Amino acid sequence: MFQSDLLQGQNILITGGGTGLGRAMAERFGGLGAGVGILGRRPEPLEETAGAISGAGGRAAWASADVRDPAKIAAAVDQMEGELGPFTGLVNNAAGNFLAPSEDLSPNAFDAVVQIVLYGTYHATMDLGRRWIERGGGGQILSIVTTYAWMGSSFVLPSACAKAGVLAMTRSLAVEWATYGIRSNAIAPGPFPTEGAFSRLAAAGFENEAKKMNPLGRFGEESELADLAAFLFSPMATYVNGECVVIDGGEWLKVGQEFSKYTDIPRDEMKAMMRAMKPKKG
Ligand code: COA
């Protein structure tokens, strides 16, 4: 659907780019002409994803680093820039999360998720942001958040707190760093069935319930998210700054709307019910 050279001339670093939505974005960017740097903790998926991109004719580099460690990020970026050339874009995608009652969380459990999601995003953003400011050519940041960044959510308290922080970082830097030609945006995906985030939920039988909560009655497809991210990095979106684009089929609105449950009733049945509620004339 896009021109095959849409992202030509860009080099984009994706944290957590070896698996799931990170990999989907990496492959899409690589197929559209961008050099792709993927960073994560485990070498195997990184090497495999980079191999898939190169095998398809793209340019890719990978380096293993924990986003909680700024020195390791710096070394990884140095290595990948040595192979690809300077990065022009960053996707903060690396995340960690688990379902747990908040009262049972240890301080270390809260810390583990906040360190990965909020501090990891901060460390990667500062590393590339400072390079871009020094080089003077601008840059683009895209952070993956979620709708509970502003709604909050039960049973994922560390992630909700951290994602809210990432959204605040996105909007703060969109203004503060615009003077350097650096734009900052976010995507808030709804339910996308990636192995990392969904395998445990599916095992717990949440799949059908989750689909019912969605106005479109389905989960998102990885390619839909990858296309949105590609658009935001493309020359078509250069005036978009400080935005958080929701891609969830309208789920967060349905969850919050007073009468949205009526959309679950077959339409004829619902109409008959509403006609019966209408006061009779005379
Ligand atoms: N419920 C409650 N506490 C949990 C937990 C759970 N499901 N999973 C981990 N913790 C706690 C651990 O008990 C530990 O706390 P403690 O030292 O007080 O016991 C703390 O969190 C750190 O756990 P650890 O596994 O050592 O951390 P890590 O830094 O290696 O990894 C995560 C942290 C979040 C990445 C890890 O829990 C994980 O692998 N999660 C699933 C994969 C994932 O998140 N994928 C991405 C989906 S978006």
Side-chain angles (χ1 to χ4, degrees):
M1 272 183 279
F2 291 129
Q3 280 174 230
S4 59
D5 61 350
L6 185 76
L7 304 180
Q8 201 79 49
Q10 300 194 42
N11 283 327
I12 303 171
L13 172 66
I14 305 176
T15 66
T19 55
L21 296 177
R23 178 175 179 153
M25 287 186 277
E27 293 197 37
R28 179 57 45 94
F29 295 172
L32 293 171
V36 186
I38 48 179
L39 180 152
R41 276 196 291 180
R42 289 179 300 131
E44 299 78 23
L46 298 172
E47 193 172 5
E48 200 195 307
T49 301
I53 294 168
S54 315
R59 293 183 304 122
W62 65 273
S64 167
D66 189 325
V67 290
R68 291 173 280 196
D69 184 340
K72 293 258 166 57
I73 293 179
V77 172
D78 284 343
Q79 180 212 306
M80 289 187 280
E81 288 200 327
E83 294 173 47
L84 296 169
F87 282 116
T88 56
L90 165 68
V91 181
N92 287 306
N93 167 74
N97 198 8
F98 45 75
L99 283 168
S102 299
E103 64 272 26
D104 295 345
L105 289 171
S106 70
N108 200 30
F110 188 86
D111 194 58
V113 173
V114 174
Q115 283 289 339
I116 294 168
V117 176
L118 180 56
Y119 280 74
T121 297
Y122 169 76
H123 295 319
T125 299
M126 288 302 140
D127 186 285
L128 283 188
R130 287 178 179 134
R131 288 173 198 248
W132 293 335
I133 290 166
E134 200 183 311
R135 291 171 189 159
Q140 273 199 77
I141 303 158
L142 177 66
S143 296
I144 305 302
V145 294
T146 155
T147 52
Y148 63 63
W150 59 91
M151 292 177 73
S153 176
S154 311
F155 304 119
V156 284
L157 185 71
S159 175
C161 294
K163 294 286 191 183
V166 172
L167 189 55
M169 198 184 317
T170 300
R171 290 176 172 153
S172 302
L173 293 178
V175 176
E176 188 180 335
W177 281 0
T179 190
Y180 300 120
I182 299 172
R183 289 184 296 111
S184 180
N185 290 298
I187 291 178
F192 282 80
T194 59
E195 181 61 26
F198 256 69
S199 51
R200 282 152 288 146
L201 288 177
F206 280 114
E207 188 167 334
N208 283 340
E209 277 307 304
K211 280 184 182 162
K212 259 197 254 165
M213 272 161 47
N214 197 291
L216 297 183
R218 66 171 177 91
F219 296 145
E221 288 173 18
E222 288 181 358
S223 64
E224 293 173 311
L225 183 113
D227 282 337
L228 174 60
F231 169 75
L232 289 172
F233 274 101
S234 80
M236 293 180 281
T238 45
Y239 202 49
V240 182
N241 187 29
E243 185 53 71
C244 175
V245 184
V246 178
I247 177 164
D248 76 338
E251 181 171 304
W252 82 277
L253 294 169
K254 180 174 179 182
V255 168
Q257 285 182 9
E258 181 82 27
F259 299 110
S260 63
K261 279 258 179 279
Y262 289 133
T263 62
D264 295 337
I265 302 171
R267 193 54 55 105
D268 286 346
E269 214 177 291
M270 182 272 286
K271 284 185 178 186
M273 194 182 83
M274 289 188 181
R275 266 198 307 273
M277 288 184 216
K278 195 175 169 190
K280 301 267 179 299
K281 276 192 187 147

